[in-house]
C-alpha cells in the first residue's frame, strides 16, 4: 500500500520537477509560481482595503500582533508542506502542540529553567512525537491520515494526563523573547516572525536546491518510481514527520509566549486545520509532489490577515472562518484551472 | 491497491483450502488465523466479545463503580446513535474513492441544528416537516460538497475542510452565537429518553428511543442501498476504479455526487438527534472539542472501510461503534471522573493505530482484503 494510492491523480503527471539530475537549473520552475503572485496581490489588496477602512490597521500596534500570531501556524505549516509534498498528511499536530506546551509550561513553573533549555525541551518532545508518527507511517505502511488520527487521540490523552485536570498557572515570562511585548521585538520586528522566516528560507532552499529536497517531491509524485530510482523512501518520509515534530515543538513555545501566564487544556485546538488551510491556500497539492514553502507562509499570512481584519472591522470574529473557507475554495479552484490549462496547452 | 477488484459484500471464503480435503483438518488453525486477520468483521466480533467479557468479569468482582450489565450496555447506546449514523455517512463518501472523505459533517450538524431549531422552536412548524427540512437542508450542504468534488474536481479533503470552516462559521453567525432552547425544543428532549423494551423473559431493557427512530432506520436504508441496489454496486465500482467504471458506462460524477449528498442528509438527521439530546439547538453542536467528523472517520476506518475507496461494509461500521461505545462505557465505570474521558481517548487511539497496522500487515501477507 503505497502512499500515492489515496488518490489516483487522474492522469496528472508528477511534473518535470522530479528530474533535476540532467539539466540543473533549467528544469527547476520559476522561483515564484502563479499561485504565489496571486496571493501576494490578494494580500496587498486586503491590506490596502483594511488600511482605508480602519486607519489603525497599518500601525505597529496592529501589524506586530498579526505577524506574531501567524508565526506558529506558518512554522507548523512549513513542516506540513513537506509532509504533504511527500503525499502524506499530519492531523496530530494540535495534540503535539498541547503536549509540548504543557511539558514546557510545567517545567518552567516547577524549576524555572532558562529560555534555551525550555526551547530545547519543547523541540525534543515534539521531535519524539514526530518520530512516533514517522515510524508508524514509514515502516507500518499505513496511510498517514489514519495513523495521525490515531496518534492525535494518543497525544491528546498524554497532554490531558500531564495537565492533570486543571490549568497550568503562574507561567514565568521566560519565553517573552517570542512574545508580543517589547522583549519580543528587535527594531520593531517580532522575533517569532523572524525565526519563522529563517526556517522558511532554509526549508525553501532545501526543497528546491538539494537532492534530499527533490527526493521528497519524487516520493510525492510516485513513491514506487522514486524507490526504483534509488530514493530511500522510508527514511525520507520518516524525516519529514520528525522535522514537523521539531517545528511543532518550537511553535508550541511561540504559543506559550503569546498567551497569558495561564495555560488551559484547549491549547492548540484547531491548529492542524489552520496549518493545512495555510498549506493548501499556498498552492501545495494535497495529492503530493507539488508545492512550496513560500506559498505556505503567504497562505498563513492571508489567513491571519483575514482573522485580524474581520475583528478590526468590528464584525463577528467567527465570520473569519467563512472567509477562510471561501479563500481555500478559490485558491484550489485557481490551481485546478491552471493545471487544466497546462494539460490542454 | 486501487486496482484490485474485491467484492465487498461477498467476503472471500475463509475455507479456501477445500481443494485439498485431506489436509483440511491440519489447516484449521491457519484458516482461523487468516479469517481473524483478514476479515474485519471477525476481528471486531472477537474484540467486542473480549471487551464485554472483561468488563462483565471486572463488574462481577466489584472493580467497577457500577455494574456493567445489560441495562447499562443498552442505555449506553445513546452515544452510538450519532456515531453510527455519521460513520455510515463516512462509509458512503470514503467508499466512493478518489480520496473521498468528509470533514464537514460536524459543521453540517451544527448548521442544520440551528435551522431545525428555527423551524421547530421559533416558527412552530410541525415536527415531521421540521425533520424533513433538516434532512433536506443537510442534503443541500452535502450537495455543495458533492458538486465541487464530483463535478468540478476538487480534492475531497480540501473541499470539506473549506466547507467545514464555512458551515461552522454560518452556524455561529446565523443566530448571533445564541443557542435556541424555546419550549418546544426543550420538550423535544422527551424523544431522547429511553423506553422499556421487554427482551425474552427477563426484566425490560431501557433502550434509548433514538436507536429505534433514527439509528435502525438509517442502518437498514444504507445497508439496502449498498447491498441490494444498483446504486450500491455503482458506488463500490467507482470507488474501486473510477476509470474502469466510466468505461463500463457508469455516470461516475453523478454517483459520487449522490454519495456526498446522502452524507449531508444523514448529518441533517444527526442534527435532529443532537438537538433532542441537548434539549437545545446549539451553534457549536457538531464542532466542539475535536468535533464529530474525526470520531466518525475513526469509526469508519476501524470498521474496515479502506481509505483508498471501494471497500467497506455497514456491519463493520456498526460493530466498530458498538466496540468503542461499550469500551468507553466500561472505562467510565473503571476510571471514574475526568480521567475516564481521557482514557477513552487513549483507547480510541490505540485501537485505531492497532487496526491500521494490522491492515498493513495483512495486506502484505495475504494480499488486499475486505
Amino acid at each position: 500500500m503505497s502512499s500515492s494510492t489515496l488518490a489516483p491523480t487522474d492522469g496528472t503527471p508528477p511534473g518535470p520537477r522530479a528530474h533535476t539530475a540532467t539539466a540543473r537549473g533549467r528544469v527547476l520552475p520559476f522561483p515564484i509560481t502563479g499561485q504565489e503572485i496571486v496571493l501576494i496581490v490578494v494580500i496587498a489588496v486586503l491590506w490596502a482595503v483594511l488600511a482605508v477602512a480602519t486607519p489603525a490597521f497599518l500601525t505597529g500596534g496592529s501589524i506586530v500582533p498579526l505577524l506574531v500570531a501567524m508565526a506558529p501556524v506558518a512554522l507548523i505549516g512549513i513542516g506540513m508542506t513537506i509532509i504533504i509534498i511527500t503525499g502524506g498528511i499530519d492531523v496530530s499536530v494540535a495534540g503535539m502542540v498541547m503536549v509540548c506546551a504543557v511539558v514546557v509550561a510545567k517545567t518552567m513553573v516547577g524549576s524555572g529553567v532558562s529560555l534555551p533549555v525550555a526551547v530545547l525541551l519543547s523541540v525534543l518532545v515534539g521531535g519524539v512525537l514526530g518520530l512516533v508518527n514517522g515510524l508508524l507511517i514509514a515502516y507500518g505502511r499505513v496511510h498517514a491520515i489514519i495513523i495521525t488520527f490515531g496518534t492525535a487521540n494518543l497525544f491528546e490523552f498524554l497532554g490531558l494526563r500531564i495537565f492533570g485536570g486543571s490549568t497550568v498557572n503562574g507561567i514565568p515570562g521566560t519565553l517573552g523573547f517570542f512574545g508580543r511585548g517589547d522583549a519580543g521585538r528587535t527594531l520593531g520586528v517580532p522575533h517569532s516572525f523572524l525565526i519563522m522566516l529563517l526556517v522558511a528560507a532554509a526549508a525553501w532552499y532545501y526543497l528546491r536546491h538539494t537532492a534530499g529536497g527533490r527526493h521528497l517531491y519524487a516520493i510525492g509524485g510516485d513513491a514506487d518510481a522514486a524507490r526504483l530510482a534509488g530514493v530511500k523512501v522510508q527514511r525520507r518520509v520518516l524525516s519529514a514527520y520528525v522535522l514537523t515534530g521539531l517545528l511543532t515543538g518550537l511553535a508550541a513555545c511561540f504559543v506559550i509566549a503569546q498567551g497569558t501566564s495561564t495555560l488551559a487544556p484547549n491549547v492548540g485546538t484547531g491548529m492542524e486545520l489552520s496549518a493545512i488551510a495555510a498549506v493548501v491556500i499556498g498552492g501545495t497539492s494535497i495529492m503530493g509532489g507539488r508545492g512550496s514553502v513560500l506559498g505556505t507562509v503567504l497562505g498563513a499570512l492571508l489567513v491571519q490577515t483575514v482573522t485580524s481584519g474581520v475583528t478590526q472591522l468590528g464584525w463577528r470574529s467567527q465570520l473569519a472562518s467563512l472567509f477562510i473557507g471561501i479563500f481555500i475554495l478559490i485558491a484550489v479552484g485557481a490551481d485546478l484551472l491552471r493545471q487544466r490549462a497546462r494539460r490542454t496547452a | 491497491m486501487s486496482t484490485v477488484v474485491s467484492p465487498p459484500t461477498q467476503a472471500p471464503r475463509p475455507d479456501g483450502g477445500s481443494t485439498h480435503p485431506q489436509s483440511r483438518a491440519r489447516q484449521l488453525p491457519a484458516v482461523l488465523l487468516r479469517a481473524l486477520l483478514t476479515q474485519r468483521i471477525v476481528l471486531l466480533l472477537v474484540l467486542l466479545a473480549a471487551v464485554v467479557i472483561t468488563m462483565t468479569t471486572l463488574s462481577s468482582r466489584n472493580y467497577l463503580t457500577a455494574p456493567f450489565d445489560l441495562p447499562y450496555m443498552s442505555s449506553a447506546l445513546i452515544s452510538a446513535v450519532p456515531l453510527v449514523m455519521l460513520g455510515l455517512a463516512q462509509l458512503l463518501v470514503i467508499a466512493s474513492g478518489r480520496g473521498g472523505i468528509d470533514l464537514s459533517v460536524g459543521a453540517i450538524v451544527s448548521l442544520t441544528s440551528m435551522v431545525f431549531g428555527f423551524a421547530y422552536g421559533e416558527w412552530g412548524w410541525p415536527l415531521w416537516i421540521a425533520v424533513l427540512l433538516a434532512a433536506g437542508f443537510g442534503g443541500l450542504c452535502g450537495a455543495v460538497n458533492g458538486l465541487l468534488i464530483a463535478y468540478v474536481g476538487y480534492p475531497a479533503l480540501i473541499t470539506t475542510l473549506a466547507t467545514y470552516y464555512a458551515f461552522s462559521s454560518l452556524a455561529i453567525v446565523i443566530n448571533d452565537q445564541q443557542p435556541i432552547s424555546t419550549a418546544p425544543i426543550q420538550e423535544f428532549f422527551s424523544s431522547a429518553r429511553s423506553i422499556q423494551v421487554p427482551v425474552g423473559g427477563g426484566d425490560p431493557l431501557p433502550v434509548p428511543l433514538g436507536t429505534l427512530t433514527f439509528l435502525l432506520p438509517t442502518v437498514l436504508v444504507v445497508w439496502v442501498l449498498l447491498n441490494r441496489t444498483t446504486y450500491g454496486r455503482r458506488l463500490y465500482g467507482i470507488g474501486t476504479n473510477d476509470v474502469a467504471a466510466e468505461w463500463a458506462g457508469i455516470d461516475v460524477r453523478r454517483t459520487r455526487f449522490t454519495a456526498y449528498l446522502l452524507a449531508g442528509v444523514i448529518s441533517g438527521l444527526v442534527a435532529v438527534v443532537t438537538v433532542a439530546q441537548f434539549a437545545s439547538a446549539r451553534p457549536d453542536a457538531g464542532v466542539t472539542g475535536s468535533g464529530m467528523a474525526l470520531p466518525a472517520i475513526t469509526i469508519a476506518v476501524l470498521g474496515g472501510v479502506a481509505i483508498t475507496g471501494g471497500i467497506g461494509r455497514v456491519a463493520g461500521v456498526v460493530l466498530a461503534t458498538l466496540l468503542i461505545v461499550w469500551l468507553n462505557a466500561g472505562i467510565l465505570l473503571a476510571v471514574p471522573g475526568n480521567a475516564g474521558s481521557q482514557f477513552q481517548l487513549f483507547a480510541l487511539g490505540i485501537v485505531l493505530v492497532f487496526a491500521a497496522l494490522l491492515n498493513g500487515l495483512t495486506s502484505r501477507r495475504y494480499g488486499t482484503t475486505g
Side-chain angles (χ1 to χ4, degrees):
Chain A
M1 174 161 163
S2 70
S3 56
S4 62
T5 50
L6 173 64
T9 49
D10 57 359
T12 320
R17 304 169 165 217
H19 314 284
T20 55
T22 47
R24 290 189 90 162
R26 292 292 303 144
V27 280
L28 277 176
F30 195 65
I32 201 163
T33 63
Q35 182 96 2
E36 287 150 13
I37 294 170
V38 172
L39 274 177
I40 292 173
V41 171
V42 170
I43 293 171
V45 169
L46 276 181
W47 281 40
V49 169
L50 283 169
V52 173
T54 53
F57 180 74
L58 275 185
T59 57
S62 162
I63 296 291
V64 167
L66 193 157
L67 296 182
V68 173
M70 75 161 276
V73 174
L75 206 53
I76 297 175
I78 292 167
M80 190 73 84
T81 309
I82 296 175
I83 288 181
I84 291 181
I85 283 174
T86 67
I89 197 160
D90 187 346
V91 293
S92 72
V93 288
M96 278 191 215
V97 169
M98 182 180 170
V99 175
C100 296
V102 70
V103 167
V104 171
K106 284 234 161 178
T107 315
M108 288 197 302
V109 170
S111 55
V113 291
S114 63
L115 174 79
V117 178
V119 172
L120 199 66
L121 177 70
S122 186
V123 169
L124 266 182
V125 172
V128 170
L129 298 181
L131 185 70
V132 171
N133 277 336
L135 283 176
L136 287 170
I137 291 164
Y139 295 97
R141 295 199 221 168
V142 185
H143 197 275
I145 196 165
I146 300 176
I147 284 293
T148 51
F149 269 137
T151 52
N153 282 310
L154 295 180
F155 296 162
E156 204 184 330
F157 162 76
L158 194 62
L160 287 174
R161 292 305 293 168
I162 302 174
F163 263 109
S166 67
T167 54
V168 181
N169 300 313
I171 301 170
T174 321
L175 290 173
F177 184 74
F178 303 127
R180 243 185 229 120
D182 282 334
R185 273 175 286 175
T186 305
L187 299 175
V189 185
H191 297 144
S192 50
F193 181 71
L194 281 179
I195 294 171
M196 185 277 294
L197 279 188
L198 281 179
V199 173
W204 183 83
Y205 181 83
Y206 175 73
L207 280 176
R208 224 180 124 77
H209 294 288
T210 66
R214 305 316 292 171
H215 285 170
L216 293 167
Y217 285 96
I219 293 169
D222 187 333
D224 289 328
R227 185 175 51 78
L228 293 175
V231 175
K232 295 201 164 43
V233 174
Q234 292 178 322
R235 223 182 282 173
R236 290 270 171 232
V237 169
L238 175 65
S239 68
Y241 287 91
V242 174
L243 180 71
T244 302
L246 297 172
L247 291 176
T248 307
L250 185 55
C253 291
F254 292 5
V255 170
I256 297 176
Q258 287 174 27
T260 57
S261 62
T262 303
L263 192 71
N266 67 355
V267 57
T269 306
M271 276 193 101
E272 78 278 34
L273 294 184
S274 7
I276 296 172
V279 173
V280 166
I281 290 179
T284 297
S285 164
I286 202 82
M287 313 289 188
R290 220 153 40 79
S292 86
V293 166
L294 179 60
T296 301
V297 174
L298 290 172
L301 186 60
L302 178 63
V303 168
Q304 196 54 49
T305 303
V306 171
T307 312
S308 309
V310 165
T311 326
Q312 294 208 342
L313 288 173
W315 296 350
R316 197 158 262 301
S317 63
Q318 288 87 358
L319 264 181
S321 314
L322 179 62
F323 292 120
I324 294 171
I326 293 172
F327 271 119
I328 296 177
L329 290 181
I330 295 175
V332 178
D335 192 47
L336 279 177
L337 282 180
R338 270 201 309 278
Q339 268 182 46
R340 225 163 266 178
R342 213 178 300 142
R343 223 176 302 155
T344 49
Chain B
M1 188 159 176
S2 54
T3 55
V4 179
V5 180
S6 156
T9 49
Q10 200 68 48
R13 303 204 65 85
D15 53 347
S18 55
T19 44
H20 307 286
Q22 72 279 9
S23 60
R24 213 169 155 180
R26 220 179 303 155
Q27 282 182 347
L28 195 63
V31 167
L32 285 179
L33 179 70
R34 185 186 166 125
L36 185 65
L37 290 180
T38 60
Q39 302 296 308
R40 182 50 64 91
I41 307 278
V42 178
L43 177 71
L44 286 172
L45 279 175
V46 170
L47 286 178
L48 194 58
V51 165
V52 171
I53 290 171
T54 313
M55 289 302 169
T56 331
T57 316
L58 287 178
S59 174
S60 65
R61 299 196 179 168
N62 287 326
Y63 284 119
L64 303 181
T65 50
F68 188 88
D69 49 12
L70 275 179
Y72 182 71
M73 283 167 68
S74 86
S75 48
L77 288 179
I78 185 92
S79 52
V81 179
L83 266 185
V84 169
M85 292 174 71
L86 291 179
L88 291 176
Q90 298 294 348
L91 164 62
L92 289 171
V93 298
I94 297 177
S96 80
R98 273 198 64 204
I101 201 159
D102 194 341
L103 297 177
S104 70
V105 287
I108 297 182
V109 169
S110 297
L111 186 53
T112 313
S113 292
M114 296 311 288
V115 171
F116 177 78
F118 275 121
Y120 186 61
E122 301 266 352
W123 307 333
W125 289 20
L127 179 62
W128 66 276
I129 298 187
V131 172
L132 277 185
L133 174 77
F137 187 82
L140 189 70
C141 296
V144 172
N145 287 332
L147 201 66
L148 289 169
I149 295 164
Y151 286 101
V152 187
Y154 275 56
L157 187 75
I158 299 175
T159 312
T160 55
L161 175 67
T163 51
Y164 162 85
Y165 276 119
F167 294 153
S168 52
S169 162
L170 285 176
I172 290 177
V173 175
I174 195 171
N175 196 32
D176 219 15
Q177 223 169 347
Q178 296 303 312
I180 301 175
S181 37
T182 53
I185 295 279
Q186 287 181 358
E187 282 158 26
F188 188 48
F189 181 64
S190 61
S191 64
R193 71 179 193 278
S194 291
I195 52 165
Q196 303 292 326
V197 176
V199 178
D203 292 334
L205 288 177
V207 175
L209 197 55
T211 51
L212 303 177
T213 50
F214 282 93
L215 191 149
L216 278 182
T218 313
V219 169
L220 276 179
V221 167
V222 174
W223 186 84
V224 168
L225 186 73
L226 286 182
N227 298 299
R228 290 291 180 270
T229 66
T230 45
Y231 175 76
R233 306 314 302 164
R234 284 197 213 114
L235 185 70
Y236 284 119
I238 67 166
T240 309
N241 187 338
D242 61 353
V243 177
E246 183 93 54
W247 287 343
I250 295 174
D251 189 341
V252 172
R253 296 177 164 191
R254 191 168 162 188
T255 310
R256 185 165 287 140
F257 170 80
T258 312
Y260 286 90
L261 176 86
L262 290 174
V265 171
I266 295 178
S267 311
L269 293 174
V270 171
V272 177
V273 175
T274 317
V275 170
Q277 274 178 20
F278 291 148
S280 159
R282 282 170 35 182
D284 59 350
V287 293
T288 43
S290 56
M292 282 185 167
L294 304 196
I297 296 168
T298 309
I299 287 290
V301 168
L302 189 59
V305 181
I307 204 87
T308 42
I311 298 172
R313 298 164 72 180
V314 173
V317 173
V318 173
L319 285 177
T321 314
L322 288 181
L323 174 69
I324 291 300
V325 164
W326 283 337
L327 183 60
N328 280 350
I331 289 174
L332 273 191
L333 294 185
V335 189
N338 227 345
S341 58
Q342 294 167 7
F343 276 100
Q344 291 179 346
L345 290 173
F346 178 73
L348 186 64
I350 284 288
V351 171
L352 183 64
V353 169
F354 167 73
L357 286 179
L358 197 66
N359 257 9
L361 183 82
T362 51
S363 62
R364 257 171 286 161
R365 184 148 171 205
Y366 300 109
T368 309
T369 57

